[in-house]
Structures are given as structure tokens and as C-alpha cells.
Amino acid sequence: MTVNCLFCKIVSREIAAQIVFEDDKIIAINDINPAAPVHILIIPKEHIASLAEISEQHNDLLGHIQLTAARLAKDLKISEQGYRLVNNCGIWGGQTVLHLHYHLLGGRELSWPPG
Ligand code: AMP
Ligand code: ZN
């Protein structure tokens, strides 16, 4: 756990969150400021600052995140209409929490390209 990291504190239960899924590798929570009817954050339990920090050793973890996102989307009935899985990386990518996470967004039609 990295001190003063919001998502590490959510993983360790120091800060409360609405958990929608958890296993040994990841936790999925409802975003506190939802941008769509479904807005879930999928967060690895390991502290990785951003996608720019990943290496070969994270291959399985990243695959697991994608498979979990697809399964959650089916469970939440947003899969048929379609949804988006987003990672914001770094300052220009719009990342505000420096612990790797993916946004699962759905439940409404999403526009493209992003701002
Ligand atoms: P990003 O801008 O990609 O780093 O995404 C960070 C996300 O974390 C934003 O969508 C925030 O709304 C969300 N967020 C911030 N604090 C919390 C919290 N305590 N619980 C759940 N989501 C949060
Ligand atoms: Zn962290």
C-alpha cells in the first residue's frame, strides 16, 4: 500500500466505497461522481501509478481487468447496447488519481471523440 493514495486506502478499507466486485487481484467500485448511469472503477489492488508504469509482469492482471469489465457489463445489462472501458493516463490523459484504474461507463449513448 502506498501512503496517501486514495485507491490504496479504498482497497484497505481505510476509506469507504460502494464495492460492486472484489477478488484477490482487483476491486470494482461505483465512481463517486458518475458520468453515466453505470460508472464503475476497476482498480488493481497492487499500487501501480499509471498505465505508463506497467510491464510484462502485469499481463495477467490487465487481461483479468478486461475480462472482469466485460463480465460486469453483462451482469449490469449494459453489454447489448454497448459501453466504454477507459483508462486516463497522465496529466494530458486526464488522470487525477495516480493509481491505475479503468472506467467502465454505460447505460446511455456515449459521444466520441472525448474532449
Ligand atoms: P481519473 O480522473 O481517470 O483519475 O479518475 C478518477 C475517478 O475517481 C474520477 O471519476 C472520480 O470521480 C473518482 N473518485 C474520486 N474519489 C473517489 C472516491 N472516494 N470513491 C469513488 N470514486 C472516486
Ligand atoms: Zn495506490
Side-chain angles (χ1 to χ4, degrees):
M1 145 146 184
T2 298
V3 182
N4 285 334
C5 171
L6 173 66
F7 290 167
C8 282
K9 286 181 179 173
I10 285 176
V11 167
S12 69
R13 304 294 202 277
E14 205 179 311
I15 290 176
Q18 284 179 1
I19 298 168
V20 295
F21 175 76
E22 181 174 20
D23 65 15
D24 56 325
K25 297 185 192 66
I26 59 176
I27 191 165
I29 63 170
N30 282 322
D31 196 291
I32 205 166
N33 185 22
V38 173
H39 188 170
I40 290 170
L41 301 174
I42 303 176
I43 304 167
K45 291 190 165 177
E46 177 189 348
H47 180 88
I48 304 164
S50 80
L51 196 60
E53 305 292 320
I54 59 148
S55 59
E56 278 296 319
Q57 77 187 64
H58 299 117
N59 238 331
D60 287 353
L61 174 66
L62 297 178
H64 183 60
I65 288 171
Q66 296 230 23
L67 287 169
T68 303
R71 191 177 48 72
L72 285 173
K74 282 196 183 113
D75 291 351
L76 294 165
K77 314 266 186 259
I78 60 169
S79 189
E80 233 169 83
Q81 294 279 61
Y83 56 91
R84 193 169 291 165
L85 185 65
V86 178
N87 170 256
N88 296 328
C89 180
I91 295 169
W92 277 24
Q95 185 177 5
T96 59
V97 179
L98 297 182
H99 177 134
L100 180 68
H101 55 280
Y102 289 75
H103 299 252
L104 174 62
L105 295 150
R108 68 170 171 84
E109 190 170 359
L110 300 165
S111 60
W112 189 263

